[in-house]
């Protein structure tokens, strides 16, 4: 496979144009690729404009489940980048699609218990699922089994699935009630994404996976993970846009999620950028732990800078 | 081994006396054996008094790390049972002993980062270790990497170990700072106990292991667990009292912690009580998942009731 050949570093105009000509569609990870937290990386607007003017299709794929797709368009807007909601795929949205299309739960009838932030609730709600938990203020109260409003009247029998992801408001109340639902054998268990950590302001902080694995351990169950690098997410995207995988390139800053996602999804190519957590040394490393990218570049903006 | 023979059910005076004559020392799990939460089980005071009057040595061994040994004596007192601090071993105390005697960290010099409740901090402090984290009110504030007092001045370079256990005040702040210390390769990682859950008021709630495993997953590290069924705890007890293991019996309500603890620690016997989470069917089951007890009894108080 292309991805297992020695990665090509894009270092000049010729290589950049050759690379761009190979693909019709680019799937971008966001944080570490387009921006770092609240800082837009250099020449990103120009690169995206150039790709659009070349007739390329742009799709944005993020494991961040804390924001809904609608909220994500606002983040793009804040950087002066115009994208529409249907160009964005979050792991929260991927989880909602999985619940409806794979688990075949019924919007309007089956309910979901969410352990995660507003993004998870909003995507599930938009799909028609009544969603309990998540950012319900009652869960911010200290947990007491005798008074918790989520316990005293019994569990909701219509809850058929737990969707768990990153929650900065994680507390014992949320963990305890999530466990009660997971102890029901007929309740499904979905994790938004397996990331153990995420980078922020030079630190590495606990990611969605570290929360999902906590309730997985207490319940003795394994979740179905939906975000990158899981194929469910890519299958959803490919079918939504009727894409030709061979003409798609996944662009990301993480070998074990983004590049694996493109590789295992059998896309035509992968591009690693070095503005996130990976180094050139890691990009070139041959290991069984993650695939190598087909291409890599110091920063995404180089694609524009080399050709202008 | 005795424990793998068919378990003997103690159902009358003769069996009870035969059982009691075999042992000089009884190690008791507490919750589920002596009491259920705040309710003392029937004939417990009488049974313990009888054992004392027969010259038996009584030791109490609990995986509850939230209370110190001193606080535990008060819990016994509240039930009208008089025990001294040195009869009690908690997983928090076992962790403190492990940090000092096995990891050879130096009280008065090396510091500990605690992710757990007051019991962990108190035991480490009593042993002379300055302990950061735990129930520090600063950790109750919402986490912000730019303002967290545990980050803005850098990590404490004298911290040489993380001790993690059950914390009902678990939040993102605690998880994030604990992860920062675990990212330091020279910082050791100790878990008080591996229990995935604990029973309370008819429910099963997340236990210490579900918190420890969260930071284990985010850090990619494995902890050294100290509580039952780990041998470290039993070794500490045996050496503190210079016990003859063959004359000791472990009494508990959990096959995979208490009975395993006695079995793997090669004690003379084990007694399962059915007042906690196990059933008679489970006690008799032959499985590779846990050892069988040598003896079992409906409730601990039967030992007194049969003989009086």
């Amino acid at each position: 496979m292309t991805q297992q050949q020695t990665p090509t570093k894009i270092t000049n105009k010729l290589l950049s144009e050759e690379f761009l000509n190979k693909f019709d569609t680019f799937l971008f990870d966001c944080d570490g690729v387009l921006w770092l937290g609240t800082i837009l990386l250099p020449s990103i607007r120009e690169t995206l404009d150039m790709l659009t003017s070349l007739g390329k299709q742009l799709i944005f794929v993020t494991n961040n489940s804390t924001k809904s797709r609608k909220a994500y368009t606002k983040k793009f807007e804040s950087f002066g980048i115009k994208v529409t909601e249907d160009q964005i795929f979050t792991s929260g949205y991927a989880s909602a699609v999985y619940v409806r299309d794979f688990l075949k739960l019924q919007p309007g009838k089956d309910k979901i218990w969410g352990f995660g932030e507003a993004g998870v609730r909003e995507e599930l709600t938009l799909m028609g699922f009544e969603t309990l938990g998540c950012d319900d203020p009652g869960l911010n109260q200290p947990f007491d089994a005798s008074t918790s409003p989520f316990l005293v009247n019994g569990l909701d029998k219509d809850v058929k699935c737990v969707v768990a992801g990153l929650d900065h408001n994680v507390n014992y109340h949320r963990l305890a009630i999530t466990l009660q639902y997971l102890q029901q054998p007929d309740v499904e268990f979905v994790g938004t994404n397996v990331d153990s950590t995420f980078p922020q302001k030079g630190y590495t902080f606990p990611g969605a996976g570290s929360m999902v694995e906590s309730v997985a351990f207490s319940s003795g169950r394994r979740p179905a993970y939906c975000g990158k690098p899981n194929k469910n997410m890519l299958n959803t995207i490919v079918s939504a846009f009727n894409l030709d995988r061979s003409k798609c390139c996944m662009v990301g800053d993480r070998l074990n999620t983004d590049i694996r996602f493109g590789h295992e999804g059998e896309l035509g190519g992968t591009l690693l950028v070095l503005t996130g957590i990976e180094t050139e040394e890691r990009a070139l490393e041959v290991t069984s732990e993650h695939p190598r990218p087909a291409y890599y570049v110091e920063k995404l903006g180089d694609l524009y800078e080399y050709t202008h």
Side-chain angles (χ1 to χ4, degrees), chain A residues 79-130:
Chain A
F79 292 125
I81 303 168
K82 200 165 165 48
V83 303
T84 58
E85 214 170 306
D86 63 356
Q87 286 178 278
I88 300 175
F89 286 78
T90 67
S91 64
Y93 177 66
S95 301
V97 171
Y98 182 84
V99 167
R100 185 191 58 189
D101 296 351
F102 187 86
L103 299 179
K104 306 282 185 200
L105 296 194
Q106 294 180 41
K109 178 170 169 279
D110 300 324
K111 298 181 188 172
I112 314 291
W113 176 265
F115 168 35
E117 298 189 24
V120 168
R121 182 179 44 72
E122 285 170 33
E123 294 300 352
L124 286 163
T125 304
L126 278 172
M127 214 157 265
F129 290 107
E130 187 175 336

Side-chain angles (χ1 to χ4, degrees), chain A residues 3 12 22 37 53 58 97 99 129 147 155 160 167 172-173 179 188 212 214 216 246 260 266 271 304 306:
Chain A
Q3 286 92 331
N12 57 46
K22 281 199 171 177
S53 69
L58 311 186
V97 171
V99 167
F129 290 107
T147 60
L155 300 179
K160 298 297 182 206
D167 192 341
Y172 199 80
H173 206 155
L179 175 58
E188 304 278 352
V212 181
S214 176
S246 72
R260 182 185 301 282
E266 298 181 351
L271 172 69
Y304 171 83
Y306 290 144

Side-chain angles (χ1 to χ4, degrees), chain A residues 151-168:
Chain A
L151 271 189
V152 287
N153 300 318
L155 300 179
D156 191 316
K157 303 281 183 215
D158 293 329
V159 167
K160 298 297 182 206
C161 182
V162 165
V163 175
L166 180 63
D167 192 341
H168 286 88

Side-chain angles (χ1 to χ4, degrees), chain A residues 159-196:
Chain A
V159 167
K160 298 297 182 206
C161 182
V162 165
V163 175
L166 180 63
D167 192 341
H168 286 88
N169 294 311
V170 55
N171 61 10
Y172 199 80
H173 206 155
R174 290 179 164 87
L175 294 170
I177 306 297
T178 302
L179 175 58
Q180 303 314 300
Y181 281 107
L182 289 177
Q183 285 166 352
Q184 313 299 314
D186 64 329
V187 170
E188 304 278 352
F189 183 15
V190 170
T192 58
N193 57 302
V194 72
D195 300 67
S196 58

